[in-house]
């Protein structure tokens, strides 16, 4: 019986399956001299060379173009060429679908270097490019490592609502969800009988779940309606949000650092071929040099993240004499991207930095107020080039203080009645954080634009699919 293999399985087995008759399916990456077909099926960045028989029906070989989907049956043999160890000598080839030559000429599947912007403009085809298939495989393994980490740590995965009646942060712009067709909104006639929105976070539901489950995490899409057309922002993006009962802020920071290092080590172990390909080919866009991508990831595993208070960070920024900031530095301000990059890229020389104990006036209502009544037990983890990649805090478990914070932020307590109510049923000190999944993918892969690391980016003015 002839067995079907993926391209990765064949290349991984190499000489152990010499003279085996196999089936492989995929898409033609190149075709030359009417004999050599370079095949890829998405399982690896590497390709498999197919040697066609000179006796093969010319009507079939004439249909082969770049992008043609095929099924190949043949024998694995040693390659006489220098670029590959093995190749597949074809005995039978079946074409599933060829590619229209006129469409091919205008597509990103042409065998030449395309700009990332052009590739982005043909998002429905970019899965067939080497660079984007690398990105998607790495994205998969990052996702897998996240679930793996929390499973090892005895967390429970929690699926929180996408449709919600409140804004977790209390300050964001949200997408409204309604079935009403006019602007004179009578919510008593709406589907949910009230104002509803696409969720910006599953955190508050996760806080309810830990009173009984102990440790949970959410991993899902969230939505922001801000008109932020930058290389670091998406309107629809993915967040990972663990919540832990009986955790202090320090324990939360320790877990977050361990979490990030676990993911990076996992990707170095599982995705080195894809990382090497990106490292090599991103040089063509002058983004990365001298194997910097892999070295940068490896260096993070061998250091402890710097930890400084917000007040210390402000002092460091004020003493800066080398870079002129657009936003003046004062205590009580929210750190801007330029400040975060100065701390990570320059002052701490490319190392991640944890900034904690922020002013209470610039942080969310649910963060625990410190004894000084000026700051809250909040933290941000800043990565080089990216800036904030994780934000977290110890949550306010004290009912009266939480209620006062809600009032201070002018949030309707009647909407958050259930969240307040959790503080009356066995509430405990607890902490949690949120990881911007797409930003982590962006950092690991070295991509300059966050739209290049998500399959179908949703940004202001762009929702084509």
């Amino acid at each position: 019986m002839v067995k079907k293999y993926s391209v990765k399985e064949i290349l991984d087995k190499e000489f152990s399956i010499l003279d085996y008759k196999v089936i492989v399916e995929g898409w033609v990456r190149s075709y030359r001299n009417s004999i050599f077909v370079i095949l890829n099926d998405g399982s690896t960045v590497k390709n498999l060379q197919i040697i066609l028989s000179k006796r093969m029906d010319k009507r079939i070989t004439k249909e082969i173009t770049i992008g043609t989907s095929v099924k190949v049956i043949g024998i694995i043999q040693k390659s006489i060429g220098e670029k590959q160890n093995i190749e597949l000598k074809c005995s039978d080839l079946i074409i599933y679908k060829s590619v229209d030559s006129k469409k091919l000429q205008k597509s990103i599947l042409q065998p030449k270097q395309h700009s990332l912007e052009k590739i982005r403009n043909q998002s429905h085809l970019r899965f067939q490019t080497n660079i984007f298939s690398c990105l998607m495989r790495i994205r998969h393994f990052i996702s897998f490592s996240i679930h793996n980490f929390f499973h090892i740590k005895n967390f429970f995965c929690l699926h929180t609502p996408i449709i919600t009646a409140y804004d977790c942060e209390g300050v964001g712009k949200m997408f409204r969800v309604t079935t009403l067709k006019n602007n004179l909104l009578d919510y008593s006639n709406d589907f949910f009988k009230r104002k509803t929105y696409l969720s910006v976070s599953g955190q508050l539901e996760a806080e309810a779940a830990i009173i009984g489950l102990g440790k949970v995490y959410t991993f899902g899409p969230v939505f922001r309606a801000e008109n932020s057309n930058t290389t670091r922002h998406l309107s629809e993006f993915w967040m990972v949000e663990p919540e832990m009962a009986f955790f202090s802020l320090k324990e939360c920071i320790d877990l977050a650092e361990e979490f990030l290092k676990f993911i990076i080590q996992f990707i170095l172990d599982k995705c080195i071929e894809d990382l090497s390909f990106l490292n090599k080919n991103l040089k063509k866009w002058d983004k990365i040099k001298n194997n910097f991508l892999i070295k940068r990831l490896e260096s993070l595993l061998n250091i402890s993240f710097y930890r400084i208070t917000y007040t210390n960070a402000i002092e460091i920024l004020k003493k800066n004499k080398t870079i002129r900031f657009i936003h003046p530095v004062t205590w009580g301000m929210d750190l801007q991207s330029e400040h975060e990059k100065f701390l990570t890229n320059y002052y701490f020389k490319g190392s991640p930095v944890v900034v904690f104990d922020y002013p209470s006036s610039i942080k969310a209502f649910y963060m625990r107020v410190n004894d000084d009544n000026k700051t809250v037990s909040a933290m941000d983890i800043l990565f080089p080039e990216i800036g904030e990649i994780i934000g977290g805090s110890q949550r306010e478990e004290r009912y009266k203080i939480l209620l006062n914070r809600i009032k201070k932020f002018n949030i309707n307590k009647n909407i958050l009645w259930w969240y307040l109510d959790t503080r009356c049923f066995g509430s405990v000190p607890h902490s949690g954080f949120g990881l911007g999944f797409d930003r982590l993918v962006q950092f690991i892969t070295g991509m300059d634009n966050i739209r290049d690391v998500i399959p179908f980016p949703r940004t202001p003015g762009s929702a084509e699919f």
Side-chain angles (χ1 to χ4, degrees):
M1 181 178 178
V2 183
K3 184 177 178 181
K4 183 193 292 188
Y5 289 91
S6 69
V7 170
K8 180 173 175 56
E9 287 172 328
I10 290 173
L11 296 178
D12 284 349
K13 292 178 182 295
E14 278 200 338
F15 299 124
S16 66
I17 55 172
L18 280 179
D19 301 324
Y20 275 49
K21 190 173 187 179
V22 303
I23 298 171
V24 63
E25 295 165 313
W27 297 270
V28 175
R29 286 289 170 86
S30 71
Y31 178 46
R32 56 189 174 86
N33 300 334
S34 300
I35 296 177
F36 301 103
V37 171
I38 303 302
L39 193 75
N40 191 284
D41 64 354
S43 61
T44 174
V45 70
K46 294 182 178 180
N47 301 313
L48 178 64
Q49 179 164 282
I50 312 293
I51 309 297
L52 301 182
S53 169
K54 292 181 180 180
R55 297 190 297 273
M56 185 162 288
D57 192 328
K58 299 299 181 184
R59 291 173 297 179
I60 294 177
T61 56
K62 282 184 179 180
E63 289 187 52
I64 300 175
T65 62
I66 293 170
T68 299
S69 52
V70 297
K71 175 180 181 179
V72 182
I73 304 172
I75 304 293
I76 301 295
Q77 61 181 21
K78 274 189 176 182
S79 176
I80 59 174
E82 296 181 355
K83 293 185 178 181
Q84 59 279 321
N85 294 327
I86 60 171
E87 57 196 15
L88 181 64
K89 186 175 182 181
C90 174
S91 58
D92 192 16
L93 183 143
I94 298 169
I95 292 178
Y96 288 123
K97 183 67 178 178
S98 57
V99 175
D100 183 284
S101 58
K102 291 182 179 179
K103 283 183 173 290
L104 180 62
Q105 291 175 6
K106 298 179 181 180
S107 78
I108 56 175
L109 303 184
Q110 299 172 83
K112 65 178 185 179
Q113 184 70 37
H114 299 288
S115 69
L116 291 171
E117 183 178 1
K118 184 172 182 179
I119 293 173
R120 201 179 304 131
N121 289 336
Q122 296 184 26
S123 292
H124 63 298
L125 297 179
R126 60 181 180 167
F127 297 94
Q128 297 180 62
T129 66
N130 280 330
I131 191 161
F132 199 69
S133 61
C134 278
L135 291 167
M136 290 301 99
R137 281 189 294 270
I138 292 172
R139 184 181 174 100
H140 158 77
F141 279 103
I142 295 173
S143 176
F144 185 84
S145 70
I146 288 169
H147 288 293
N148 195 16
F149 176 85
F150 287 123
H151 179 71
I152 292 170
K153 293 289 185 180
N154 296 313
F155 279 70
F156 298 103
C157 183
L158 188 72
H159 299 138
T160 53
I162 290 177
I163 297 174
T164 183
Y166 61 88
D167 178 0
C168 177
E169 302 295 329
V171 293
K173 292 183 179 180
M174 303 174 71
F175 292 101
R176 192 176 64 198
V177 176
T178 181
T179 56
L180 299 179
K181 295 182 180 180
N182 57 59
N183 292 324
L184 300 174
L185 297 180
D186 178 3
Y187 290 102
S188 64
N189 294 320
D190 207 351
F191 188 87
F192 291 107
K193 308 297 183 184
R194 64 188 305 169
K195 290 182 181 180
T196 51
Y197 310 89
L198 294 179
S199 177
V200 298
S201 172
Q203 176 201 314
L204 302 192
E205 290 92 345
E207 284 190 63
I210 61 170
I211 306 173
L213 289 174
K215 294 188 292 187
V216 303
Y217 72 101
T218 74
F219 191 168
V222 294
F223 308 85
R224 286 283 191 191
E226 276 88 359
N227 189 19
S228 299
N229 244 321
T230 76
T231 59
R232 297 171 64 243
H233 291 91
L234 294 165
S235 301
E236 177 188 53
F237 52 100
W238 288 70
M239 287 289 291
V240 182
E241 298 178 290
E243 289 291 325
M244 299 80 67
F246 310 105
F247 258 60
S248 66
L249 180 65
K250 181 184 182 303
E251 290 172 306
C252 183
I253 295 172
D254 290 343
L255 183 76
E257 181 173 339
E258 183 184 0
F259 174 56
L260 290 168
K261 289 181 176 180
F262 179 93
I263 294 169
I264 290 170
Q265 183 65 69
F266 192 90
I267 296 307
L268 287 170
D269 291 342
K270 300 294 184 181
C271 302
I272 196 66
E273 288 180 354
D274 285 322
L275 287 173
S276 298
F277 178 87
L278 289 177
N279 199 99
K280 177 182 177 181
N281 285 274
L282 286 176
K283 291 176 186 177
K284 297 175 182 178
W285 287 286
D286 296 325
K287 301 297 180 187
I288 294 173
K289 297 178 180 178
N290 300 323
N291 207 32
F292 177 66
L293 181 58
I294 295 172
K295 288 181 178 179
R296 180 174 68 171
L297 296 177
E298 290 175 337
S299 69
L300 294 183
L301 299 176
N302 301 316
I303 59 174
S304 294
F305 296 180
Y306 286 98
R307 302 184 185 192
I308 59 172
T309 65
Y310 168 89
T311 299
N312 287 340
I314 292 296
E315 291 172 355
I316 291 170
L317 293 168
K318 282 183 174 181
K319 291 177 181 177
N320 157 53
K321 302 296 183 184
T322 57
I323 295 178
R324 179 174 292 180
F325 296 131
I326 297 172
H327 300 89
V329 178
T330 58
W331 196 97
M333 67 174 294
D334 203 358
L335 297 182
Q336 302 298 311
S337 177
E338 60 178 340
H339 306 136
E340 295 172 347
K341 288 183 178 180
F342 174 81
L343 291 171
T344 55
N345 295 3
Y346 298 100
Y347 191 85
F348 290 106
K349 297 179 171 53
S351 295
V353 180
V354 183
V355 181
F356 62 94
D357 286 352
Y358 280 83
S360 60
S361 59
I362 62 172
K363 288 298 182 180
F365 71 92
Y366 53 74
M367 298 183 177
R368 196 179 200 277
V369 178
N370 289 328
D371 292 339
D372 61 11
N373 287 320
K374 294 181 180 179
T375 61
V376 288
S377 295
M379 65 89 171
D380 288 332
I381 297 182
L382 313 178
F383 262 23
E385 306 299 333
I386 295 294
E388 180 191 340
I389 201 163
I390 277 180
S393 71
Q394 187 169 335
R395 316 311 191 189
E396 184 57 78
E397 83 280 8
R398 298 164 294 186
Y399 180 91
K400 288 184 178 180
I401 296 177
L402 179 61
L403 178 59
N404 288 334
R405 292 278 289 171
I406 287 175
K407 290 178 179 178
K408 188 174 182 179
F409 278 78
N410 294 318
I411 299 170
N412 187 348
K413 68 176 183 178
N414 294 325
I415 293 177
L416 289 177
W417 66 268
W418 63 272
Y419 183 69
L420 280 163
D421 207 37
T422 60
R423 272 50 178 179
C424 302
F425 290 87
S427 181
V428 298
H430 59 284
S431 298
F433 61 82
L435 165 73
F437 177 72
D438 308 284
R439 283 194 185 178
L440 179 61
V441 179
Q442 188 182 1
F443 175 81
I444 287 176
T445 58
M447 300 304 293
D448 194 45
N449 196 317
I450 200 168
R451 303 177 195 197
D452 294 323
V453 301
I454 189 169
F456 299 103
R458 294 287 182 265
T459 54
S462 179
E464 296 182 44
F465 303 98

